[in-house]
Amino acid sequence: MGMQWLTDFFMDESEIANELRLFDWPHILLLAATAGVALCLFLFREPLRCWKHRETLRYWMAGLFLFNMLTFYGVFVVKGIYDWRIHLPFHFCFISGFLFMAVLVTGNRRWFRAVYFFTWAGPLPAMIWPNTPIRFDRYLSYQFVISHHLLLLMGLYCLIVLEYRVERRDPLRGLFWGNGIFAAVFAFNQISGTNYIMTTELPEHVRELFPFLQQIGHPILWLELCALAAMLLACIPVWLLGRLDRGKCPQSRERAAAS
């Protein structure tokens, strides 16, 4: 029985795809919880900025993101269903995740100024229109939450708590590099016949929810609109934080934390 539970826990997407229910109570609850944590980061930013382990957390989260992805692909390998045509880490959420891991490990604030927008453009559309059922007894649900919801929240953590700055021109920087990634993956898809970042075909559940999209023969247009909308939303915390922290000196907080 224990072995059966383990097998069921690690079911792959093809085995639970028929359980997908958009905007059911687990889906809405998860979105609300994510928004609630984001709000708490704003409300308790001062105590968090003085937390002595505030920098250590980014290393732990980088480790969690890496472990999550290794487990994700390891399950496919162990079950003998790994297929490079669908299981390479070339989806934008996963690319964003690996880039953000590099930011977390190195603390490179310059990289963050572009990658921050990826932590919205990749995860947010998938959070709203997920292709993974939200079930507490399935590993894929946890993998999905870590690589999407936690990725977005950790980007906010770096922005709000660690005070990684985002400048006025950085949305254009993120858009430029994001489109570079899109172009590279699109070229790979054309050569290999794959559908990473959905540049060739949109998911069935999205087409069913928005039938008019089937009239658009170029999914890249829909993806660009989603990415632009997500990046515009990513600017709101930056703007809000600038207003809330106006006149405050980050160095004084660092001295307070050190003492």
Side-chain angles (χ1 to χ4, degrees), residues 187-229:
F188 179 84
N189 286 337
Q190 295 301 303
I191 295 170
S192 60
T194 52
N195 188 36
Y196 291 108
I197 316 187
M198 302 173 293
T199 62
T200 305
E201 184 180 24
L202 294 173
E204 182 179 351
H205 70 284
V206 172
R207 298 198 306 270
E208 290 178 355
L209 191 63
F210 304 104
F212 67 89
L213 293 176
Q214 301 184 40
Q215 309 302 320
I216 303 176
H218 303 284
I220 194 71
L221 297 177
W222 166 250
L223 297 172
E224 284 282 354
L225 288 174
C226 283
L228 282 171

Side-chain angles (χ1 to χ4, degrees), residues 11 15-21 24 133-135 137-138:
M11 278 185 176
E15 295 172 300
I16 60 175
N18 62 336
E19 300 177 11
L20 181 62
R21 301 289 185 272
D24 59 359
I134 305 302
R135 289 188 50 173
D137 60 343
R138 294 291 182 267

Side-chain angles (χ1 to χ4, degrees), residues 117-131:
F117 294 97
F118 298 170
T119 64
W120 284 72
L124 188 59
M127 289 163 56
I128 298 174
W129 300 290
N131 63 351

